[in-house]
Amino acid sequence: MNENVIINADYRWYNKTDAESSIYSIGYFWYEKKFFEKDTVSNKILAFFNAFPDIENSYEIFISEISNKFNGHFSFIISNKNITIAFVDKIRSFPVYYSTGHGKKIISNSANELQRTLELYDVNEQALLAFRMAGYTLAGSTLYKNLNQLQAGEYLVYFKKNDKIKTKRYFRYLTKKENAQEETDNYESYEDILYRVFTRLIESLRGRPAFLPLSGGLDSKLILSMLHNLGYKDIVTYSYGIKGLWDVERAKSAAEFFNIKWIYTEFKPSETRRIFNSQIRKDFYNFASGLNSIPHVADLYSIRMLEERRLIPKDAVIINGQTGDFLTGGHIPSIVMSDRLTSDDLCTTIIDKHFALWTNLMTEENLKTITYQLLYQAGLKPHEEITKQQFADYYEMLEWEERQSKHVANGQKVYDWLGYDWRLPLWDDELIYFWNNAPLEMKFERKFHKEFLFRHNSFPLIKKELQKSWVYMPFQLKLLNYFFAACGKLLGKNLNSSFNKYAKYFLTYAPYYTQLNYKDYLKDSYWHRSPVSYWVNSYLEEINLSNGISNQQAES
């Protein structure tokens, strides 16, 4: 019955089979005020599926019911003798892959398994370019031809009788209101939504330890405040990073405010280098990349160090603040307030923000390639004039279906791989719909969200201090930085930019540059943006897709 489905057991999907149908599933959701997780997800969806006897003609109703009434993070592949349906949630928390290559229609929970089975090794050059520039591929592509992925809010139907596959979006982060409501009219409804979201979260925890990665920013503080306000007792917060980082001190202060346990894991470059060069990290990359997105190593370092110190139990549920700043409007760029905007401005803004891991790759030809793909996904024409609201809508839509769903949400793969449950309360459906329908005036600079939190009496922790941040810099480099600044003034030039390019190796993100020594770093550091630039390069080398071309050669 499932001859067209390949399941890799490493991803720990659950299976349920009855006389008529079979399902593989993973994740959790709420349905009619009841919580389902693990094997109960399979049981519930299978029963729901079998309630549609004419599923071949009513699959759209089935998907509509699932997407509108099943609130959570989950994926499934379900079949009977006539049809197979594959589904991912609104941020593709658990990716699904498929191929129509070599005359076969195969669906899988593992890109690597599908690649090996069908021998799909022809490189998708456009996808590779996007990956090198942004750290993820675009649309439904992976790094290899004929190896595709379901996008966020998308499902697949395979009709076995005529051997046809169809994919369709059931959700896109795009529907907006053109006219702003009075913010005060929304405070009460927003508060109600937050309390429903976190009441559901607490119900789903079932008394297990809640582990909160705490940065001290608004989103992690909101989660901590809500759990505390609702009386949840078993909370542990933890922070990580290089010693002396202001975010760490801010997080410690937040935990102390509620007298909640806080654990600090110092990221020493020697320790992160040890983990990065280990087989554990290499196996994790194979598990988490999906041949389409660079995995996160920061969370891998932090959880592994907690495990080595025996500070995190296996029944812990990890709850982070991803991605409250995006949903509440924090990623809308300031250019949106310009008098005249076009589709070209939209693409340029997105590329400058997300496709500049290596500035030497930002050639005219490469920029045209990425621009064409972005315009196609947005359904826009070159040079098309758009309103401020449209600019914000399309910007958020493209970031939601690309960076947020493929890169940010993919960070949960660390927890999956290490065997921990997780929750993303700020990606609850109620919050998605609330913010998706909020106008630009409410969202720009997170206006409504910040005013709500700072005015509300239930969030004294958030009102306690404003956001502060500074870059960690060793004392010796501070002296050198002053020297460069003084020389720049004498020469009438700004030397700080060049200094920062070469000094980043020792600054705030020093523990993340440990896959290469400083001598190798200097070879192309001038063109890189962040440690992710080097993560991309090392990953492509490991899967033999670097082609032996250095960044210097790419520029020339």
Side-chain angles (χ1 to χ4, degrees):
M1 190 177 296
N2 282 316
E3 67 279 356
N4 61 306
V5 176
I6 297 174
I7 295 296
N8 185 320
D10 291 343
Y11 293 87
R12 294 183 288 275
W13 284 45
Y14 290 86
N15 174 232
K16 175 75 174 180
T17 300
D18 63 19
E20 301 295 329
S21 311
S22 178
I23 184 174
Y24 294 94
S25 71
I26 190 169
Y28 64 90
F29 57 74
W30 289 264
Y31 173 70
E32 294 184 344
K33 299 183 179 181
K34 293 182 180 179
F35 181 67
F36 299 84
E37 64 177 336
K38 304 183 187 304
D39 61 322
T40 64
V41 167
S42 295
N43 296 339
K44 184 61 185 176
I45 296 177
L46 184 62
F48 201 72
F49 179 79
N50 288 336
F52 291 82
D54 187 26
I55 190 67
E56 287 180 272
N57 295 314
S58 56
Y59 67 87
E60 290 185 336
I61 300 174
F62 168 72
I63 292 295
S64 177
E65 291 288 299
I66 291 285
S67 62
N68 289 321
K69 296 182 179 180
F70 289 56
N71 178 6
H73 297 102
F74 62 102
S75 293
F76 63 84
I77 304 170
I78 194 164
S79 291
N80 63 21
K81 63 181 181 181
N82 298 319
I83 194 172
T84 297
I85 298 175
F87 175 101
V88 296
D89 63 32
K90 296 175 180 68
I91 56 169
R92 75 181 269 294
S93 306
F94 305 95
V96 171
Y97 305 91
Y98 66 97
S99 176
T100 58
H102 307 309
K104 297 180 179 179
K105 311 292 192 302
I106 305 293
I107 306 162
S108 181
N109 64 345
S110 167
N112 297 82
E113 192 81 23
L114 202 53
Q115 182 186 49
R116 285 191 296 268
T117 301
L118 298 180
E119 298 183 343
L120 302 172
Y121 295 104
D122 290 337
V123 178
N124 183 329
E125 296 294 345
Q126 281 196 352
L128 177 59
L129 174 65
F131 190 92
R132 295 190 71 196
M133 294 179 72
Y136 46 85
T137 62
L138 286 170
S141 67
T142 69
L143 291 168
Y144 297 91
K145 294 178 180 177
N146 294 318
L147 179 52
N148 308 305
Q149 59 176 311
L150 288 182
Q151 298 179 77
E154 189 172 45
Y155 68 96
L156 173 153
V157 182
Y158 171 45
F159 302 95
K160 298 181 180 181
K161 290 180 180 178
N162 57 14
D163 196 34
K164 299 290 185 182
I165 272 186
K166 172 184 178 180
T167 60
K168 188 174 181 179
R169 298 299 273 268
Y170 65 84
F171 173 81
R172 255 190 159 177
Y173 195 81
L174 186 59
T175 305
K176 306 283 183 174
K177 294 178 181 176
E178 285 293 336
N179 300 311
Q181 300 177 25
E182 290 292 329
E183 283 88 350
T184 52
D185 292 341
N186 288 293
Y187 281 157
E188 186 174 345
S189 62
Y190 189 44
E191 179 182 15
D192 290 343
I193 289 171
L194 285 173
Y195 274 87
R196 286 195 297 270
V197 166
F198 281 89
T199 298
R200 284 194 290 268
L201 169 64
I202 288 174
E203 178 189 347
S204 78
L205 296 178
R206 295 174 176 170
R208 289 179 289 174
F211 267 63
L212 277 59
L214 192 60
S215 67
L218 282 183
D219 300 326
S220 58
K221 280 184 175 181
L222 171 61
I223 293 174
L224 179 58
S225 296
M226 289 301 300
L227 288 177
H228 179 270
N229 291 348
L230 291 171
Y232 200 74
K233 301 299 182 184
D234 199 346
I235 304 173
V236 177
T237 62
Y238 67 96
S239 305
Y240 53 81
I242 198 165
K243 193 173 183 179
L245 192 63
W246 173 253
D247 278 356
V248 171
E249 296 304 315
R250 185 170 55 188
K252 179 182 178 182
S253 174
E256 289 175 344
F257 184 85
F258 285 135
N259 194 28
I260 288 174
K261 183 177 180 180
W262 177 76
I263 303 169
Y264 168 55
T265 300
E266 181 182 355
F267 275 11
K268 297 179 180 178
S270 59
E271 285 298 293
T272 56
R273 180 179 293 109
R274 172 182 63 83
I275 296 176
F276 187 87
N277 292 325
S278 69
Q279 189 61 44
I280 287 173
R281 195 277 307 163
K282 294 176 183 177
D283 291 342
F284 167 64
Y285 264 30
N286 185 61
F287 175 89
S289 74
L291 302 175
N292 71 84
S293 177
I294 191 67
H296 295 239
V297 293
D299 291 300
L300 175 65
Y301 296 156
S302 65
I303 300 299
R304 282 297 297 158
M305 290 178 185
L306 288 175
E307 288 183 330
E308 289 170 357
R309 294 163 64 188
R310 297 183 179 179
L311 293 175
I312 181 169
K314 273 299 180 183
D315 65 340
V317 182
I318 302 172
I319 308 167
N320 66 48
Q322 296 170 352
T323 306
D325 57 340
F326 166 75
L327 281 175
T328 56
H331 292 198
I332 298 173
S334 58
I335 190 179
V336 75
M337 292 304 172
S338 301
D339 292 333
R340 182 179 179 274
L341 293 164
T342 69
S343 57
D344 298 346
D345 297 323
L346 173 70
C347 293
T348 298
T349 305
I350 292 173
I351 290 171
D352 288 346
K353 179 67 175 178
H354 298 306
F355 291 82
L357 288 180
W358 291 102
T359 56
N360 56 310
L361 289 177
M362 299 176 73
T363 64
E364 183 178 354
E365 182 180 355
N366 288 346
L367 294 179
K368 283 182 179 178
T369 298
I370 300 299
T371 297
Y372 174 81
Q373 292 184 70
L374 293 174
L375 288 173
Y376 180 79
Q377 285 178 244
L380 294 171
K381 298 176 182 178
H383 322 307
E384 182 177 344
E385 287 201 27
I386 53 179
T387 66
K388 294 177 182 181
Q389 182 68 57
Q390 288 173 325
F391 186 101
D393 293 350
Y394 287 118
Y395 187 94
E396 289 191 312
M397 182 200 75
L398 288 168
E399 181 171 341
W400 156 75
E401 68 183 33
E402 297 302 337
R403 184 175 181 273
Q404 291 298 320
S405 294
K406 292 175 183 171
H407 182 63
V408 178
N410 197 54
Q412 316 315 301
K413 287 289 160 285
V414 174
Y415 316 138
D416 290 332
W417 188 66
L418 294 174
Y420 295 96
D421 287 342
W422 52 266
R423 302 285 185 267
L424 288 178
L426 302 187
W427 275 114
D428 185 278
D429 276 7
E430 277 204 85
L431 286 172
I432 290 176
Y433 290 129
F434 178 89
W435 287 110
N436 187 34
N437 288 311
L440 174 61
E441 289 82 352
M442 281 179 63
K443 299 178 71 172
F444 185 60
E445 296 181 338
R446 307 184 77 182
K447 178 178 181 288
F448 172 83
H449 182 65
K450 285 183 176 180
E451 288 184 356
F452 171 81
L453 293 179
F454 288 134
R455 291 180 183 178
H456 204 289
N457 292 329
S458 296
F459 303 103
L461 169 62
I462 291 172
K463 292 189 284 188
K464 178 174 175 285
E465 61 181 37
L466 298 175
Q467 299 289 291
K468 298 177 183 178
S469 182
W470 59 63
V471 174
Y472 164 79
M473 184 180 291
F475 178 72
Q476 299 90 328
L477 281 182
K478 286 182 181 178
L479 295 178
L480 190 58
N481 190 32
Y482 295 143
F483 174 75
F484 266 74
C487 290
K489 286 184 178 180
L490 290 174
L491 297 172
K493 296 180 180 180
N494 182 5
L495 301 181
N496 291 95
S497 177
S498 296
F499 172 81
N500 289 333
K501 288 283 187 180
Y502 297 119
K504 278 184 179 181
Y505 190 87
F506 304 103
L507 304 183
T508 302
Y509 298 107
Y512 305 122
Y513 284 106
T514 51
Q515 68 267 42
L516 71 167
N517 59 45
Y518 189 60
K519 180 181 178 181
D520 290 332
Y521 169 84
L522 287 176
K523 292 178 182 178
D524 48 18
S525 61
Y526 182 80
W527 297 287
H528 93 288
R529 168 171 279 185
S530 71
V532 181
S533 310
Y534 289 103
W535 297 352
V536 166
N537 280 6
S538 62
Y539 171 73
L540 291 176
E541 287 175 4
E542 289 180 0
I543 63 172
N544 300 315
L545 278 188
S546 61
N547 296 322
I549 299 176
S550 69
N551 285 302
Q552 296 97 319
Q553 290 172 309
E555 186 187 52
S556 62

